[in-house]
Amino acid sequence: MNNLIVLPMALPLLVGVLLVFFRSYIVHQRWITFGSLLVNAIISFYILERIQSDGIMTLDFGGWIPPFGILFVADSFAILLVITTNIVSAICVLYAMPTIGSEREKYYFYSFVNFLVAGVNGSFLTGDIFNLFVTFEVMLLASYVLITLGGSKLQLKEAIKYIAINVVSSSLFLIAIAYLYGTLGTLNMAHLSERIAEVGQTPGLTVISFLFLIVFSLKSGLVLYQWLPGSYSTPPTAIAALFGALLTKVGVYALFRIFSLLFYHDQQITHTVIGVMAGITIIGGCIGAIAYTNIRQIVAYNVVIAIGFILVGLAIMTQTAIEGAIFYLIHDMFLKALLFLLAGTMIHLTKTEKLDEMSGLIRNYPVVGWMFFIALLSLTGIPPLSGFLGKVLIGEAAIATGSYVLLGLSFASGLVVLYSILRVFMSCFWGETIISEDEEVPLNKKLVLPSALFVVITFALGIGAEGIAPYLSNAAETLTNPSIYIDAIMSEKQ
Amino acid sequence: MMETLIIIVAGVLVTVATYLLLSKNLIRVILGTAVLTHGVHLLIMAMGSFKGKNVPIIDKGKTSYVDALPQALILTSIVISFAVTAFFLVLAYQLYKRTQTDDLNKMRGYRHE
């Protein structure tokens, strides 16, 4: 029955390949993609339940017992993110249907969305560090295609930067893996953790850990986020929403995994550096979010702020902090997708990306306005919406461990987020209505539905937090006690 | 001895790649990424240590073998870098068709930068 955990990666991969052969059947492609993502989410829910009762599930490919073969490992943390990924991409596909344009649809848009999801899910589930590299590449190649699809001049220009930086960081990733293999002689993450615990985290290993930190900082936009706002603000809305919600979060996941499972012995050094980097990211993101008057840039910089905030949880590294960070991570995946979709809808309706060219939209499109307002409240962390709990937990842990600087920075960033989004809200939705009734672009219900679904989810996450709490604490327990993870993999067949 | 030599070659390749990556010509940047991955592949190979051991084929009378895993990793990585480089080159061509230049300085400039 453990074979089930390969499905979150295998299903999108197979569907993606299948869709290549049905290029002209666009309607079928749409609904098959949507359906398979939903099925995938349901399967992942089932796996999550199984993990609660039976513990971590593992699958050794080809029957090679660990540490010799490649394996998939499903713990609560990974599966929670897999569920989120599938739901977010299903809703983004729903938004893509009326907006992405038949040209892109004919040129394998849905196939590549499937490949992207396969890569993301694979990265969450794999238990082998080289396999993590491979799944990363699957995800990145799909994202290269999605970011260039349709190929306007601006889009290609930004794509060049995005691809160049990712190719270089992939090479760095390989260098880090090579050094790690040269030092410890294994690639299985549980086995690596065991060996590091045996020999102790020597300075050499700490240096290797910094190489990993640089690699995943590039991928997740921690301090090294300069490529992010440009490349996330050029592709069509549905693709930008997918990227904003998923891609950086995979880097964040990898940071959590590596620095809680492998390099957790020398927290004085590694986690302090992560804390400093998180602080710098928050400050830099805040400056960007205030500086720009282009809605898409503002939204992209908000992605950066959230990355910093989540990694504050990793820097503090207590059970409560990790719980908060995981909850905030899930919340942020939904909310950033929502924000990108709403910004995209506004741009679609007004045909401009600039703040000062929009005004008084609340009269023309009250539904969009109210949804934007709810998104704003949730991002700032107003109860009962979903941003609240994550902030409370991280704040609590920061006080308990005395990290007041990080506490101050992360909560001050909440104010800046509030200001930057409120500025968009006030200048776009309040004020004189400049669109007269006959100029008004009718609002298609298909554009509202996906955003409405995200709004429902943020309410559900906030109000139903009690229901998710056991899964969160299970996930955080596995992350703070690496022995649970190691035992699940190494002890089974000895 | 062999390891030292390979490490030096890898170092030279990385140096060349860095130089190419920092140039303004798009094709050079792409070649830089390709050379960089080759340097990394050599590094992985050196990590497997090939001191006077046999090829990893089980045979009578031979007891020590070279570690085969790094070679498997390199093979995987070569395939990936092949795909990425091919895609990158096509992209560069498309960009050249639209902008009529391969100079990165002339390509820069977001609308509001």
Side-chain angles (χ1 to χ4, degrees):
Chain A
M1 224 23 219
N2 276 8
N3 284 335
L4 210 58
I5 66 173
V6 78
L7 278 182
M9 180 171 184
L11 193 65
L13 210 56
L14 291 176
V15 171
V17 172
L18 193 73
L19 292 186
V20 171
F21 297 107
F22 297 95
R23 187 180 151 194
S24 46
Y25 298 87
I26 290 174
V27 179
H28 296 81
Q29 290 206 29
R30 288 174 176 175
W31 293 106
I32 288 174
T33 306
F34 183 72
S36 78
L37 287 169
L38 279 191
V39 169
N40 225 344
I42 293 166
I43 292 172
S44 315
F45 269 117
Y46 175 70
I47 296 173
L48 184 65
E49 282 304 322
R50 281 282 305 272
I51 293 170
Q52 304 311 309
S53 52
D54 308 351
I56 295 172
M57 291 165 80
T58 64
L59 173 63
D60 309 321
F61 291 121
W64 291 88
I65 54 167
F68 298 110
I70 294 172
L71 75 166
F72 265 20
V73 183
D75 66 342
S76 295
F77 181 36
I79 281 295
L80 278 172
L81 294 181
V82 168
I83 294 172
T84 318
T85 303
N86 286 313
I87 296 176
V88 167
S89 13
I91 298 178
C92 286
V93 164
L94 212 54
Y95 189 88
M97 289 176 194
T99 57
I100 203 82
S102 60
E103 269 304 299
R104 286 197 177 85
E105 288 183 312
K106 258 188 220 150
Y107 283 94
Y108 312 111
F109 169 75
Y110 293 110
S111 292
F112 283 104
V113 170
N114 275 303
F115 293 143
L116 183 82
V117 173
V120 173
N121 285 344
S123 308
F124 289 148
L125 287 173
T126 186
D128 180 282
I129 204 153
F130 189 77
N131 198 231
L132 180 67
F133 167 75
V134 175
T135 47
F136 250 96
E137 288 302 309
V138 172
M139 169 187 95
L140 287 174
L141 255 175
S143 78
Y144 299 158
V145 176
L146 284 176
I147 204 173
T148 49
L149 203 64
S152 65
K153 208 158 101 182
L154 182 71
Q155 217 179 329
L156 292 190
K157 272 185 197 171
E158 290 296 335
I160 287 280
K161 292 179 204 164
Y162 174 74
I163 296 175
I165 207 140
N166 272 303
V167 171
V168 173
S169 77
S170 294
S171 291
L172 286 176
F173 194 175
L174 267 183
I175 292 175
I177 289 175
Y179 284 143
L180 201 59
Y181 183 72
T183 331
L184 297 168
T186 179
L187 292 168
N188 181 309
M189 289 208 258
H191 199 215
L192 279 172
S193 173
E194 229 176 35
R195 289 204 169 162
I196 293 175
E198 276 167 21
V199 298
Q201 193 175 327
T202 56
L205 281 170
T206 307
V207 172
I208 296 174
S209 81
F210 278 119
L211 205 48
F212 277 108
L213 181 60
I214 294 171
V215 172
F216 294 124
S217 303
L218 266 171
K219 310 257 185 203
S220 66
L222 175 71
V223 180
L224 309 168
Y225 57 80
Q226 287 76 8
W227 55 271
L228 191 148
S231 44
Y232 280 19
S233 54
T234 47
T237 308
I239 296 174
L242 262 183
F243 280 22
L246 304 182
L247 292 193
T248 50
K249 307 304 185 294
V250 183
V252 173
Y253 166 83
L255 279 173
F256 268 82
R257 191 56 93 200
I258 298 274
F259 284 93
S260 69
L261 183 63
L262 304 185
F263 304 109
Y264 59 92
H265 301 280
D266 216 345
Q267 297 194 7
Q268 285 291 335
I269 303 174
T270 48
H271 288 64
T272 312
V273 171
I274 293 176
V276 172
M277 289 171 84
I280 297 174
T281 313
I282 290 176
I283 296 172
C286 287
I287 293 173
I290 296 175
Y292 282 94
T293 54
N294 179 318
I295 297 188
R296 288 183 145 212
Q297 296 267 25
I298 295 174
V299 172
Y301 273 105
N302 270 293
V303 173
V304 175
I305 302 176
I307 299 290
F309 190 84
I310 294 164
L311 283 157
V312 167
L314 178 63
I316 297 169
M317 190 76 196
T318 60
Q319 167 94 16
T320 328
I322 298 279
E323 269 178 42
I326 297 172
F327 189 78
Y328 200 82
L329 185 59
I330 295 169
H331 146 84
D332 194 61
M333 286 166 88
F334 288 123
L335 252 285
K336 285 295 133 63
L338 171 62
L339 209 53
F340 270 102
L341 290 189
L342 285 176
T345 310
M346 282 156 65
I347 293 164
H348 168 79
L349 292 172
T350 56
K351 310 270 182 298
T352 171
E353 297 183 357
K354 286 186 196 148
L355 277 188
D356 19 339
E357 289 171 16
M358 295 184 198
S359 178
L361 288 180
I362 193 100
R363 214 155 314 206
N364 305 87
Y365 312 106
V367 183
V368 179
W370 282 105
M371 288 198 299
F372 198 87
F373 187 64
I374 292 172
L376 165 102
L377 293 183
S378 186
L379 274 173
T380 352
I382 307 285
L385 295 156
S386 57
F388 175 64
L389 191 71
K391 290 207 168 180
V392 168
L393 287 174
I394 290 182
E396 202 180 300
I399 294 171
T401 53
S403 342
Y404 295 112
V405 179
L406 284 180
L407 177 76
L409 271 179
S410 49
F411 278 66
S413 81
L415 283 180
V416 177
V417 168
L418 177 66
Y419 171 71
S420 71
I421 304 289
L422 198 61
R423 195 169 60 123
V424 177
F425 183 72
M426 283 167 64
S427 97
C428 299
F429 288 100
W430 289 1
E432 290 279 312
T433 307
I434 44 176
I435 305 175
S436 68
E437 269 175 30
D438 26 305
E439 278 179 343
E440 189 178 309
V441 183
L443 182 61
N444 191 339
K445 283 204 177 59
K446 284 178 189 164
L447 295 186
V448 181
L449 179 68
S451 314
L453 286 174
F454 279 127
V455 169
V456 171
I457 288 173
T458 182
F459 270 110
L461 266 182
I463 295 167
E466 198 65 43
I468 312 166
Y471 305 117
L472 284 180
S473 63
N474 183 295
E477 207 182 319
T478 315
L479 281 181
T480 43
N481 303 312
S483 57
I484 302 176
Y485 189 92
I486 298 169
D487 286 345
I489 294 163
M490 301 303 289
S491 65
E492 46 185 334
K493 297 122 192 163
Q494 270 171 6
Chain B
M1 188 56 212
M2 191 67 178
E3 276 99 343
T4 325
L5 196 68
I6 294 284
I7 287 285
I8 291 170
V9 174
V12 170
L13 283 178
V14 172
T15 319
V16 172
T18 314
Y19 176 74
L20 287 173
L21 275 171
L22 294 176
S23 69
K24 284 172 195 161
N25 185 309
L26 186 53
I27 294 297
R28 285 191 183 201
V29 171
I30 297 173
L31 288 178
T33 60
V35 173
L36 183 61
T37 34
H38 290 316
V40 176
H41 294 159
L42 283 185
L43 177 74
I44 299 178
M45 200 151 93
M47 285 300 165
S49 101
F50 22 41
K51 241 178 236 162
K53 289 181 192 166
N54 298 308
V55 284
I57 298 171
I58 296 180
D59 199 3
K60 266 183 227 156
K62 291 174 181 169
T63 46
S64 78
Y65 304 97
V66 161
D67 189 355
L69 191 63
Q71 293 164 32
L73 303 188
I74 294 170
L75 206 60
T76 316
S77 170
I78 287 176
V79 176
I80 292 172
S81 86
F82 170 70
V84 172
T85 313
F87 182 83
F88 211 169
L89 282 169
V90 172
L91 184 64
Y93 175 62
Q94 289 294 333
L95 193 60
Y96 177 74
K97 276 211 310 198
R98 283 171 177 71
T99 57
Q100 295 301 322
T101 174
D102 63 349
D103 188 330
L104 285 170
N105 263 357
K106 288 181 188 148
M107 278 179 207
R108 70 167 305 183
Y110 188 68
R111 282 151 302 174
H112 307 296
E113 205 170 43

